Amino acid sequence: MTSVDTVGASVQIVPVPERVPAFELDPAMPSGALPIFGEYLDRIGRTAANGRLLTWALPVIGIAQFFTGAGVALSLATIALAAAVVTWWLYRAHLWVPETRLKREPFRQVDIATDGLVAAGRTVGVRLPDGRWLRVRLDEAYRLLLAGHRRVWLLGRGPKVFVGFSGVVRVHRARIFDAPPAGAVAVPSVAVSGSPRRDPVLAAHRRRLARELRATAAFLLVLAAFAVWVRVDFPATRWAALTVAAAALLGALVAATRAFIHGRPLPADHWTELRAVLDGPVRMGRRGAARLSGLTMLADGTVVGFRLHKADPSMAANIAATGRLWIAGVPRPGAAKTGVPGYPVLGTVWLG
């Protein structure tokens, strides 16, 4: 793998280390006290709770529509939409938000033996030191990450646990069984490419982002159509329904455009490693996005500022933990793609 040395005035291609330094969960302190990770858990937990609370207003609106003459079909459609949204928030909270009691417990690091990693479709099995097997459903990017780094962090003591991975803040719910998944086969090691365009983990991560954005666009189109239906059958809504429809259509267009961009590979063929010095702590937004800024040095020795707005918390955690900023291609003033070689971490940084 290669990167660009930016200390001198000229650009020199140097090897990227086999194991790129990255954020890792610390088993020496309670999970809720970990920098960035603990605050991230608090934020997404509150967001999930608020989302569930707000979506309960939709059934009330559906019932009100029935008694105000909007008709049975529209009222049932409102309740069905509410059920779908509530189900999504419940699923999100169940899958990614640990219980409050677990914030008082530390993570336990588990190194995976050579023959201790198997997979059956999306279900991955990890043999634990006591001979039992951890089973967790992972998308392609995380399966490749696990195959390359061969270690996980467990949070919880019962058969139901949460699993953390190298370089990422998000945890996944998993279960422990006495046997591996049925029909599982051994997972071979994965070689990480030094090219952002050819990085298998990053490519799989971008495909997942594209799928999520397409799903978001589809939901917003449904929401726009629903708002128009409300406007036609429930005239009392007047411009409110049309405003919702217009906003949903605009959001769907933005999501579809971003999905198209993420569906294409990054054009850069090398990473540029910059030293990053933060000018303050990482700030977490109300919905779990991160904000950070600091100083870095370009290839000609120019010291410039950098900023990440609404960044993936994993991106912020890696920069804060390692003091490194990896740029896809040659860094120039303005917007640039940033990530971590071999990890499902991606963002946009503003230089200068």
Side-chain angles (χ1 to χ4, degrees):
M1 299 199 301
T2 59
S3 68
V4 177
D5 184 3
T6 60
V7 177
S10 61
V11 178
Q12 178 184 3
I13 303 296
V14 297
V16 169
E18 183 68 22
R19 181 77 68 179
V20 174
F23 163 80
E24 292 190 346
L25 297 163
D26 187 354
M29 64 177 67
S31 62
L34 293 174
I36 300 178
F37 178 81
E39 189 174 359
Y40 166 74
L41 287 186
D42 291 337
R43 298 288 181 174
I44 64 172
R46 284 197 292 269
T47 299
N50 292 339
R52 295 196 302 269
L53 179 63
L54 290 175
T55 51
W56 285 114
L58 287 175
V60 176
I61 295 174
I63 295 173
Q65 287 173 342
F66 177 77
F67 287 105
T68 53
V72 176
L74 181 58
S75 301
L76 292 178
T78 303
I79 295 174
L81 179 63
V85 177
V86 169
T87 301
W88 160 245
W89 282 112
L90 290 174
Y91 172 77
R92 177 188 176 93
H94 172 78
L95 191 64
W96 296 325
V97 182
E99 293 83 355
T100 301
R101 62 179 177 80
L102 293 179
K103 296 179 182 179
R104 298 189 293 268
E105 297 185 14
F107 280 93
R108 294 172 287 137
Q109 181 176 335
V110 175
D111 294 320
I112 303 175
T114 304
D115 57 350
L117 182 63
V118 298
R122 292 188 58 188
T123 301
V124 175
V126 175
R127 191 175 64 210
L128 302 177
D130 61 6
R132 295 183 299 169
W133 286 83
L134 176 79
R135 296 187 194 177
V136 56
R137 288 180 61 81
L138 300 174
D139 59 40
E140 182 185 7
Y142 280 87
R143 294 197 300 271
L144 292 172
L145 175 69
L146 198 54
H149 293 275
R150 302 258 165 181
R151 62 180 179 273
V152 294
W153 285 261
L154 302 185
L155 180 62
R157 295 288 176 177
K160 298 179 180 180
V161 296
F162 282 86
V163 185
F165 305 91
S166 300
V168 293
V169 169
R170 179 182 290 181
V171 293
H172 289 68
R173 186 179 290 272
R175 292 179 64 92
I176 296 176
F177 294 86
D178 293 329
V185 297
V187 177
S189 298
V190 175
V192 177
S193 171
S195 165
R197 181 167 57 87
R198 299 177 180 177
D199 189 321
V201 178
L202 184 57
H205 180 57
R206 285 171 63 82
R207 288 193 293 270
R208 181 180 67 82
L209 292 176
R211 289 194 299 270
E212 291 179 352
L213 287 167
R214 287 194 294 269
T216 299
F219 174 77
L220 290 174
L221 288 175
V222 171
L223 181 61
F226 179 76
V228 172
W229 185 11
V230 171
R231 176 65 181 86
V232 172
D233 283 6
F234 197 39
T237 58
R238 298 184 180 179
W239 292 103
L242 293 181
T243 301
V244 172
L249 284 174
L250 179 60
L253 177 62
V254 172
T257 302
R258 293 180 60 196
F260 175 77
I261 295 173
H262 281 303
R264 304 173 62 187
L266 288 173
D269 283 321
H270 69 266
W271 290 101
T272 300
E273 181 186 9
L274 304 178
R275 298 298 186 266
V277 179
L278 299 184
D279 58 11
V282 175
R283 301 172 293 280
M284 299 295 296
R286 288 183 296 176
R287 297 188 177 184
R291 293 171 58 91
L292 67 158
S293 58
L295 297 175
T296 189
M297 182 183 292
L298 301 181
D300 60 1
T302 303
V303 176
V304 299
F306 69 87
R307 307 178 306 280
L308 286 94
H309 302 293
K310 296 183 179 179
D312 181 349
S314 297
M315 187 77 256
N318 278 282
I319 296 173
T322 66
R324 290 171 169 84
L325 186 64
W326 294 89
I327 305 297
V330 178
R332 297 182 178 88
K337 283 297 181 184
T338 181
V340 183
Y343 294 85
V345 178
L346 187 66
T348 300
V349 61
W350 287 88
L351 300 174

